[in-house]
Amino acid sequence: MSTTQPASPATPQKPAPHFPEQVTGMYILAKALKNVGIDTMYGLVGIPVTEFAYIAQDLGIRFIGFRHEQQAGMAAATHGYLTKTPGVLLTVSSLGFMNGLTATTNATVNCYPMIQISGSSVREPIDLDQGTYEGLDQLNVAKGLVKAAYRVNKPEDIPTAVARAYRAAVSGRPGGVYLDITTPCLGAIMDHADADKLFFQPVDPAPAQIPSPQAVERAVSLLASAKRPAILLGKGAAYAQIDDKIKHLIESTGIPFYPMSMAKGLMPDNHPLSAISARSTIMEQADVVMLVGARLNWLLSRGHGKWNPDGKFIQLDIDPEEIDCNRPIAAPVVGDLESSVDAIIAALAGKKLAMDPAWVSGIQSESKVKNAKFLERLEPQTVPMTHWSALGSVKKVLEANPDVILVNEGANTLDDTRDSVDMFLPRHRIDCATWAIMGMGMGSAIGAAVASGKSVVAVEGDSAFGFSGMDFSTICRYKLPVTVCIFNNGGIYNGIGVNLSHDGDPAPTTLDVKARYDKLGDAFGATTYYVTTPAELFTALTEAVASKKPCLIDVQLAADSGKESGHIGYLNPASLIDVTV
Ligand code: ADP
Ligand code: TZD
Ligand code: MG
């Protein structure tokens, strides 16, 4: 690692600072990031951030360069989710910033910590709307879409700005933070010795937030009085990395648990207390439900619909504003999950639970019957393949490799994969989550592989893959152990849509059922497969995972496999009966 600011192929044509006595804002920014522990940056360079990326790389920050900023942002967000430290996204001004902002906003919605750092053009002509290069009032665009947004105009403010962005990303409810750094600030020159005095380590950036003893007592009394209690685990619980405490809470009480999609694996899906196959029973019959890092949002019918109208909720969350937002919460426990779960475990000690033993045994026998029935769905070796026959093979391979991280997006491809593939380890399933966005696949797969060093399999609908497909090249360029399976049924939901005008154009949902996606992989030197039977898929995926190299598997499905909107067709306008969702 060099100790002076290095020159780069992109060194701008202006008087250079005298090294090593002087440094630029770019150097201070890289040093400030390094100083707070940032070791990886995802991004896409150009004016005015190219040289900064070179400097950061030279200072030992790994730089993963993408084809599209949105994917770099998805990678940063996933990095943040898996590590509890902010993932960092670097973008250029205007459109680069806007492309990345989608991911930063999505991270905010999903409570993933990340920092988008964007260069921005000279302020004066932006403020006077004089048509400067890539001119956009980025700070004001970002505000309202992210958890916090700051602009830095002076190099001496950079370390403070980085510390503030870091704190904002990881403290309280985590989220996306925007850091705007103007071109003059990046290029400004300071004495090295003066700059060195600016760096500091933020103390305790994500402080514990201890729940009040009364709140804990109220929650525990309610839980203990329940005849049919359930614990609902969300991705906040997975994020908190308190896996042993969650296990202890569940196993010591014997209360059945239901995991939301990304909380699958926090407790093994096949655990005797798993109620994953008894969702309706939990909703309709539980008398007390304890939400642990899960929001009562659309994914849970916002607490309405099927839910037992007389049921009561306990909610453990770090954000006090989340409480009561859809349904009255009888026992809110506001605090960080580690402190809250600790306090609840302590307060439960010696308390007798009123839980009816028939509640657990009922859920267990229901699960047994349903699981056996579900497996029958995956068994037929149907050719051409359906989502189910393909997933029969994917399930076998992934369950034999439980440490592989599964990334998943699509409609039927999402819903059916989530329902088929059991997870056994925490934070091993990453999907399109709260916003159900398409276009997180390649970015999240890259972020997961880089942040964890583990192998990743991305199971992608053919439409979903299209949103981020070009960044498969990034997987290849960085030689990541990622296998991408594209479930090609030729369309959004399926490939049998009919154009009602019959003018020869494809239907709105129709894509390319005959496309050979494997050839895209060939272009970038990946190992590729084109499979048409479950047996071929099993062999290809087994080989691909074992290779720990970039692989792409084109999984040819029948065009009529899949239904409109997967499992959430009821949200379409024509069938939106329950307007509460
Ligand atoms: P899911 O989609 O899995 O149901 P959500 O994203 O809706 O999960 O909910 C996650 C919740 O977890 C958010 O309300 C967030 O405030 C909360 N949360 C995240 N991290 C923590 C933490 N460390 N402690 C307490 N609550 C947390
Ligand atoms: N655009 C964005 C950014 N997010 C979206 N969710 C959509 C559009 C709408 N949409 C869905 O909700 S799922 C989906 C789209 C376009 C793709 C479904 O098709 P697929 O999966 O090929 O990925 P299946 O297996 O064919 O259902
Ligand atoms: Mg499709």
Side-chain angles (χ1 to χ4, degrees):
M1 192 188 304
S2 64
T3 49
T4 57
Q5 179 164 329
S8 78
T11 300
Q13 311 298 307
K14 65 172 186 142
H18 296 289
F19 301 118
E21 296 84 16
Q22 293 182 316
V23 289
T24 60
M26 296 179 279
Y27 176 84
I28 298 171
L29 178 57
K31 199 79 197 277
L33 290 167
K34 186 103 209 283
N35 190 54
V36 297
I38 300 298
D39 57 10
T40 309
M41 194 155 59
Y42 303 87
L44 201 165
V45 299
I47 297 170
V49 297
T50 313
E51 193 180 356
F52 162 65
Y54 273 96
I55 293 168
Q57 204 172 40
D58 188 58
L59 286 181
I61 296 177
R62 189 173 189 198
F63 185 81
I64 311 287
F66 280 70
R67 297 305 195 96
H68 194 286
E69 293 87 351
Q70 190 186 97
Q71 291 313 302
M74 296 297 176
T78 297
H79 188 114
Y81 171 69
L82 292 177
T83 62
K84 291 184 91 179
T85 58
V88 175
L89 161 66
L90 178 68
T91 57
V92 304
S93 27
S94 68
L95 199 64
F97 152 78
M98 296 277 286
N99 286 344
L101 188 61
T102 304
T104 310
T105 305
N106 183 59
T108 307
V109 168
N110 282 302
C111 317
Y112 305 149
M114 71 173 277
I115 302 172
Q116 177 177 357
I117 299 175
S118 190
S120 62
S121 297
V122 180
R123 291 238 35 85
E124 291 82 348
I126 294 177
D127 291 347
L128 213 52
D129 197 14
Q130 292 175 309
T132 190
Y133 172 73
E134 291 187 353
L136 179 72
D137 187 359
Q138 296 170 194
L139 180 68
N140 283 310
V141 172
K143 276 184 183 167
L145 292 174
V146 296
K147 186 178 172 195
Y150 309 106
R151 178 186 293 138
V152 204
N153 292 293
K154 295 190 299 188
E156 52 270 44
D157 286 340
I158 290 173
T160 300
V162 166
R164 291 203 73 189
Y166 194 108
R167 274 187 188 282
V170 296
S171 60
R173 172 182 277 179
V177 178
Y178 176 58
L179 196 56
D180 188 280
I181 314 228
T182 63
T183 304
C185 179
L186 287 167
I189 294 170
M190 276 189 79
D191 280 349
H192 202 156
D194 290 341
D196 273 347
K197 290 184 202 135
L198 301 170
F199 302 112
F200 67 101
Q201 291 284 342
V203 176
D204 197 12
Q209 298 190 16
I210 315 290
S212 86
Q214 294 88 331
V216 172
E217 192 46 48
R218 194 187 297 121
V220 165
S221 301
L222 182 58
L223 193 64
S225 72
K227 296 263 181 310
R228 295 178 307 282
I231 293 177
L232 213 144
L233 303 171
K235 61 181 174 294
Y239 172 80
Q241 298 193 13
I242 49 162
D243 313 337
D244 291 346
K245 295 178 192 229
I246 298 274
K247 183 169 158 36
H248 179 74
L249 174 69
I250 288 166
E251 291 184 345
S252 64
T253 55
I255 297 175
F257 69 91
Y258 179 89
M260 299 300 287
S261 184
M262 282 176 55
K264 271 166 68 85
L266 181 47
M267 296 287 291
D269 277 339
N270 65 354
H271 190 280
L273 292 171
S274 169
I276 196 163
S277 307
R279 179 182 164 107
S280 295
T281 304
I282 298 282
M283 289 171 91
E284 289 163 9
Q285 294 180 30
D287 56 356
V288 174
V289 174
M290 183 156 84
L291 301 162
V292 182
R295 284 171 286 190
L296 214 43
N297 58 12
W298 71 278
L299 287 155
L300 289 169
S301 312
R302 293 179 33 222
H304 303 289
K306 264 190 185 174
W307 284 99
N308 173 4
D310 300 321
K312 293 200 162 57
F313 287 93
I314 300 166
Q315 185 161 27
L316 276 52
D317 205 288
I318 201 155
D319 185 355
E321 290 178 33
E322 185 59 36
I323 309 301
D324 287 343
C325 79
N326 273 304
R327 186 161 158 170
I329 302 296
V333 181
V334 174
D336 72 282
L337 277 179
E338 179 155 26
S339 305
S340 297
V341 171
D342 273 347
I344 285 189
I345 289 172
L348 274 169
K351 273 227 161 57
K352 218 178 134 16
L353 299 188
M355 182 165 66
D356 179 355
W359 168 239
V360 180
S361 55
I363 287 174
Q364 286 171 337
S365 24
E366 177 186 341
S367 300
K368 215 166 161 190
V369 173
K370 284 200 173 145
N371 290 347
K373 221 164 160 198
F374 191 85
L375 278 180
E376 282 171 19
R377 209 187 262 195
L378 300 177
E379 266 161 20
Q381 305 291 295
T382 321
V383 176
M385 280 186 279
T386 62
H387 289 77
W388 299 117
S389 61
L391 283 165
S393 295
V394 172
K395 177 180 171 71
K396 281 187 208 127
V397 181
L398 290 184
E399 291 181 7
N401 293 279
D403 203 24
V404 166
I405 296 180
L406 171 60
V407 169
N408 190 200
E409 61 175 336
N412 297 279
T413 303
L414 174 87
D415 294 332
D416 298 348
T417 305
R418 184 189 56 237
D419 290 354
S420 307
V421 179
D422 285 345
M423 305 303 298
F424 300 97
L425 293 171
R427 297 169 296 282
H428 277 59
R429 185 184 154 83
I430 297 157
D431 63 33
C432 42
T434 306
W435 253 359
I437 39 95
M438 299 300 108
M440 46 69 71
M442 297 308 101
S444 283
I446 293 165
V450 169
S452 70
K454 295 185 181 191
S455 294
V456 175
V457 169
V459 178
E460 301 271 312
D462 57 324
S463 165
F465 175 72
F467 289 74
S468 70
M470 195 64 200
D471 267 301
F472 183 73
S473 70
T474 304
I475 292 170
C476 297
R477 202 159 54 257
Y478 289 87
K479 302 183 177 53
L480 298 172
V482 176
T483 296
V484 177
C485 298
I486 299 159
F487 274 30
N488 187 9
N489 60 354
I492 299 173
Y493 313 134
N494 57 48
I496 53 168
V498 176
N499 171 350
L500 297 178
S501 80
H502 301 286
D503 65 2
D505 278 351
T509 48
T510 299
L511 294 172
D512 311 289
V513 76
K514 293 199 171 133
R516 289 291 301 265
Y517 290 100
D518 50 316
K519 296 192 190 237
L520 271 175
D522 292 341
F524 296 102
T527 306
T528 60
Y529 305 84
Y530 173 71
V531 298
T532 58
T533 68
E536 285 170 7
L537 175 54
F538 177 83
T539 307
L541 187 55
T542 304
E543 239 177 68
V545 169
S547 78
K548 299 197 184 302
K549 295 207 173 101
C551 295
L552 190 148
I553 307 178
D554 181 336
V555 183
Q556 182 68 64
L557 302 189
D560 63 358
S561 181
K563 58 183 183 198
E564 184 171 338
S565 305
H567 294 191
I568 54 173
Y570 65 91
L571 290 174
N572 279 308
S575 44
L576 192 62
I577 301 158
D578 182 357
V579 287
T580 57
V581 179

